[in-house]
């Protein structure tokens, strides 16, 4: 078992899962809906980025030739297309699964059903239109390996880890400092207090769904550097994101980050142990999450948050 | 004290409740500009439900509620809280029972939440200072998390949040609830020390002694109905 490979793999998985889990966690705590269409956002953003990259590739190549400029320009285009389409898809989820039913009884269950339907319809739609064949996104971080202090990591892994750290940092900074962020946090902590402060749920939910959609889109681009885009590629990230959000205590951002790191390393370690291997990864993950939730039904969140209700 | 001016709040035929339960029965209630009204009555007789019906937070309601002459009531059987932000922006400031606190925000951020108009948001720092003048203990807690404050300090934050904009009507639900007598007296003291300048104040309270002699009018509530003006109740 190579420690450095395990370490990098663990961080890489943690990065992708973290992006998904935080999206699910934020949406649940501020808007009160479990977004089962998060996987559909993931897959659809991957395809959108592929379409845009495919359409612009020849143009960019013709204009700038082969080189660093082309690679970085394509990286920018792919990331923007993925995040942008993710945000658009988030707005679609807002229009279909939030706006018409958010003040009806049993909204959490209803929205769960509607988003599940969106998820199934999107996956089937992608399968029908694009077929089951996998698509390749441009390598936005280039190809190659970096040797550093005896660690060896591929560019795409380092890129995914660093990009996630930057994206999450920016997201948390925005939540902490902006006025909209303040409104969102108020909504997360006490919906009734928020409406009495003149904060409208309807106008706060839209930026949250778009933000979480963009996070899923970025996760899709980053994971597609390692594997491919396919209609069902969103299923695993959705399941991992949901379970990690639960492990972290739904609604706790630090909990989701901690959960993603723990699960990422757990998977990398179980996958690297010779007599266990990849077959037991899912088994070990769920076993761990179940044990944690038996001991602490509210997840890890309460341990990390400074103040509770 | 002035009872001139238009009615800030005019309720006619308000009936409200939760699910199969009818709590308020055909209530008529008026508050004039600049007036201070004490709403007294025992636990469970509808004081809180009346406040929550005015801010559209009960399960269902019917009847007219005019706030500054604009209709904010009407019949509604679903979506509690959906219209609340609009009603708040029409000039209502309410501190609910139990304070509706944001535990993870600092005192300063919590107060900023109350500054929802563009103008109030722009000079929120000056307004925070004003709230700190009214509730001096909060000044040195500016950057403390609200979830870590004592009950009295939370009450001050909750009332202070409602003071961050110039509302026309202030509904303060049980300001003394769960507080030590000394602290509840100081909260009430601060409420009555507020400049009046046209704002109407309704305080729901069980402890009549805290209000007597300070409000313009006391209104009793019993079994979901207004029991007329009680007038000045003197316990001294």
């Amino acid at each position: 078992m190579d420690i450095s490979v395990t370490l990098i793999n663990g961080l890489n998985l943690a990065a992708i899962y973290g992006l998904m889990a935080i999206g699910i966690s934020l949406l649940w705590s501020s808007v009160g809906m479990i977004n089962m269409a998060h996987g559909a956002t993931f897959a659809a953003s991957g395809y959108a980025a592929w379409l845009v990259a495919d359409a612009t590739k020849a143009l960019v190549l013709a204009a700038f030739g082969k080189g660093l400029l082309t690679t970085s320009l394509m990286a920018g285009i792919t990331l923007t297309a993925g995040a942008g389409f993710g945000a658009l898809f988030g707005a679609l989820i807002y229009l279909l699964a939030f706006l018409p039913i958010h003040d009806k009884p049993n909204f959490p269950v209803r929205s769960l059903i509607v988003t599940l339907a969106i998820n199934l319809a999107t996956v089937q739609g992608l399968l029908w239109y694009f077929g089951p064949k996998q698509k390749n996104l441009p390598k936005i971080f280039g190809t190659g390996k970096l040797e550093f202090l005896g660690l060896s990591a591929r560019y795409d892994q380092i890129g995914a880890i660093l990009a996630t750290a930057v994206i999450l940092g920016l997201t948390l900074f925005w939540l902490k400092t902006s006025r909209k962020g303040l409104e969102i946090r108020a909504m997360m902590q006490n919906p009734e207090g928020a409406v009495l402060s003149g904060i409208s749920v309807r106008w706060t939910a839209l930026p949250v769904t778009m933000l979480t959609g963009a996070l899923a889109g970025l996760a899709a681009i980053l994971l597609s550097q390692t594997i491919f885009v396919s209609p069902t590629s969103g299923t695993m990230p959705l399941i991992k994101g949901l379970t990690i959000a639960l492990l972290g205590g739904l609604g706790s951002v630090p909990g989701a980050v901690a959960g993603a790191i723990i699960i990422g390393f757990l998977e990398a370690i179980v996958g690297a142990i010779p007599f266990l291997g990849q077959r037991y990864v899912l088994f070990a993950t769920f076993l761990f999450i179940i044990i944690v939730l038996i001991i602490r039904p509210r997840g890890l969140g309460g341990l990390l948050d400074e103040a509770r209700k | 004290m002035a009872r001139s001016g238009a009615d800030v709040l005019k309720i006619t035929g308000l009936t409200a409740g939760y699910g199969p339960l009818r709590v308020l029965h055909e209530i008529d209630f008026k508050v004039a500009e600049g007036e201070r009204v004490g709403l007294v009555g025992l636990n469970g007789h509808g004081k809180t439900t009346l406040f929550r019906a005015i801010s559209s937070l009960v399960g269902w309601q019917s009847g007219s509620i005019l706030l500054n002459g604009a209709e904010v009531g009407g019949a509604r059987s679903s979506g509690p809280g959906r219209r609340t932000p609009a009603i708040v922006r029409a000039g209502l400031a309410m501190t609910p029972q139990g304070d509706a606190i944001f535990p993870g925000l600092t005192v300063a951020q919590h107060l900023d939440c109350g500054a929802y108009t563009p103008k109030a948001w722009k000079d929120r720092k000056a307004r925070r200072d004003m709230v700190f003048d009214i509730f001096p203990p909060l000044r040195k807690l500016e950057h403390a998390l609200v979830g870590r404050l004592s009950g009295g300090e939370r009450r001050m934050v909750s009332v202070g949040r409602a003071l961050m904009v110039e509302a026309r009507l202030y509904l303060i639900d049980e300001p003394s609830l769960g507080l030590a007598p000394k602290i509840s007296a100081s909260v009430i003291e601060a409420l009555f020390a507020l400049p009046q300048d046209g704002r109407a104040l309704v305080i729901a309270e069980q402890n009549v002694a805290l209000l007597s002699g300070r409000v313009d009018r006391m209104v009793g509530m019993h079994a979901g109905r207004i029991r007329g003006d009680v007038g000045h109740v003197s316990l001294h």
Side-chain angles (χ1 to χ4, degrees):
Chain A
M1 177 165 119
D2 188 343
I3 305 256
S4 74
V5 171
T6 311
L7 183 74
I8 293 292
N9 280 342
L11 274 176
N12 191 14
L13 289 171
I16 310 285
Y17 295 163
L19 279 177
M20 294 299 280
I22 283 172
I24 290 169
S25 206
L26 267 180
L27 201 60
W28 164 253
S29 56
S30 59
V31 180
M33 86 190 210
I34 300 273
N35 186 6
M36 296 299 284
H38 217 53
T41 315
F42 184 96
S45 308
Y47 273 96
W50 174 74
L51 280 178
V52 172
D54 216 41
T56 51
K57 206 175 189 170
L59 205 68
V60 174
L61 252 177
F64 301 104
K66 252 184 157 35
L68 189 65
L69 187 65
T70 307
T71 312
S72 44
L73 200 62
M74 281 317 290
I77 290 172
T78 314
L79 282 173
T80 316
F85 189 81
L88 276 182
F89 205 88
L92 180 77
I93 291 171
Y94 169 83
L95 288 176
L96 290 177
F98 175 79
L99 207 50
I101 55 173
H102 76 281
D103 56 356
K104 302 284 188 292
N106 294 328
F107 166 66
V109 179
R110 289 187 193 212
S111 64
L112 187 92
I113 295 168
V114 176
T115 50
L116 192 59
I118 296 174
N119 197 47
L120 289 172
T122 310
V123 170
Q124 293 306 316
L126 289 173
L127 204 57
W128 166 74
Y129 191 80
F130 292 101
K133 204 162 166 273
Q134 295 172 331
K135 310 289 186 208
N136 234 336
L137 281 184
K139 296 284 173 217
I140 59 175
F141 302 113
T143 42
K145 265 189 173 187
L146 192 71
E147 303 279 344
F148 179 71
L149 291 175
L151 291 174
S152 126
R154 296 197 311 274
Y155 284 161
D156 58 285
Q157 292 178 316
I158 302 172
I161 295 164
L162 293 182
T164 305
V166 171
I167 293 162
L168 284 187
L170 285 176
T171 308
L172 293 182
F173 181 76
W174 179 76
L175 273 176
K176 278 243 182 303
T177 55
S178 72
R179 184 173 178 188
K180 206 67 198 164
L182 181 66
E183 291 182 358
I184 292 170
R185 284 192 296 151
M187 185 77 72
M188 286 163 72
Q189 294 174 19
N190 192 330
E192 192 174 302
V195 291
L196 284 172
S197 306
I199 298 167
S200 163
V201 191
R202 270 173 289 176
W203 287 114
T204 311
L206 181 60
V208 180
T209 47
M210 290 184 72
L211 170 73
T212 54
L215 290 180
L218 287 168
I221 307 300
L222 294 178
L223 189 63
S224 305
Q225 299 304 309
T226 315
I227 61 163
F228 303 99
V229 176
S230 76
T232 50
S233 63
T235 311
M236 250 325 155
L238 169 70
I239 294 171
K240 296 286 167 63
L242 258 176
T243 47
I244 288 170
L246 273 172
L247 173 70
L250 273 173
S252 162
V253 173
V257 174
I261 292 173
I262 293 171
I263 295 298
F265 276 103
L266 186 74
E267 290 195 359
I269 291 167
V270 171
I273 294 174
F275 57 88
L276 287 177
Q278 285 299 327
R279 277 178 303 165
Y280 286 95
V281 163
L282 263 183
F283 176 76
T285 317
F286 283 113
L287 189 68
F288 176 76
I289 291 173
I290 289 167
I291 290 172
V292 170
L293 289 182
I294 285 174
I295 299 168
R296 272 194 70 83
R298 291 179 61 183
L300 303 170
L303 297 174
L304 300 154
D305 288 338
E306 284 192 75
R308 279 180 284 164
K309 259 182 212 172
Chain B
M1 281 175 232
R3 273 197 68 175
S4 63
D7 288 329
V8 174
L9 180 71
K10 186 172 184 231
I11 297 176
T12 30
L14 176 66
T15 299
Y18 304 90
L21 189 68
R22 175 185 292 230
V23 181
L24 301 181
H25 308 272
E26 298 284 326
I27 282 191
D28 298 326
F29 182 52
K30 264 196 219 175
V31 180
E33 204 170 53
E35 207 179 16
R36 289 166 168 171
V37 180
L39 188 66
V40 295
L42 292 176
N43 240 349
H45 283 264
K47 301 189 298 294
T48 297
T49 306
L50 176 58
F51 280 8
R52 293 178 70 84
I54 295 169
S55 48
S56 193
L57 283 169
V58 286
W60 56 268
Q61 65 189 77
S62 69
S64 154
I65 303 170
L66 294 176
L67 180 66
N68 285 327
E71 180 65 61
V72 297
R76 174 178 67 74
S77 63
S78 69
R82 178 169 180 164
R83 290 197 309 224
T84 309
I87 297 172
V88 168
R89 283 165 191 272
L92 175 77
M94 170 168 157
T95 57
Q97 216 169 42
D99 296 337
I101 280 294
F102 309 123
L105 300 185
T106 67
V107 170
Q109 289 169 335
H110 197 296
L111 292 177
D112 286 352
C113 283
Y116 52 81
T117 62
K119 190 170 160 286
W121 180 258
K122 228 168 140 188
D123 51 40
R124 58 191 189 277
K125 208 170 161 352
R127 282 161 193 259
R128 284 206 301 260
D129 269 334
M130 178 203 77
V131 171
F132 294 152
D133 286 339
I134 299 168
F135 298 114
L138 290 185
R139 192 178 291 278
K140 60 179 187 301
L141 295 170
E142 191 174 351
H143 300 294
L145 286 178
V146 178
R148 296 228 168 129
L149 301 186
S150 71
E153 289 157 352
R154 286 178 188 218
R155 188 71 38 84
M156 293 174 197
V157 172
S158 179
V159 175
R161 196 264 301 146
L163 297 174
M164 289 293 283
V165 286
E166 292 91 10
R168 299 296 310 279
L169 175 67
Y170 289 77
L171 304 178
I172 315 284
D173 200 353
E174 303 253 4
S176 73
L177 182 80
L179 298 187
K182 216 171 158 183
I183 297 167
S184 63
S186 74
V187 170
I188 296 266
E189 203 75 50
L191 279 175
F192 283 111
L194 291 176
Q196 271 199 294
D197 50 14
R199 52 180 141 198
L201 179 67
V202 183
I203 301 182
E205 191 48 83
Q206 293 190 53
N207 190 346
V208 180
L210 280 174
L211 300 182
S212 70
R214 287 167 155 156
V215 290
D216 301 320
R217 187 154 68 96
M218 271 211 217
V219 176
M221 271 199 94
H222 183 78
R225 291 188 168 85
I226 297 276
R227 285 301 186 200
D229 283 33
V230 179
H232 288 291
V233 183
S234 178
L235 298 178
H236 299 296

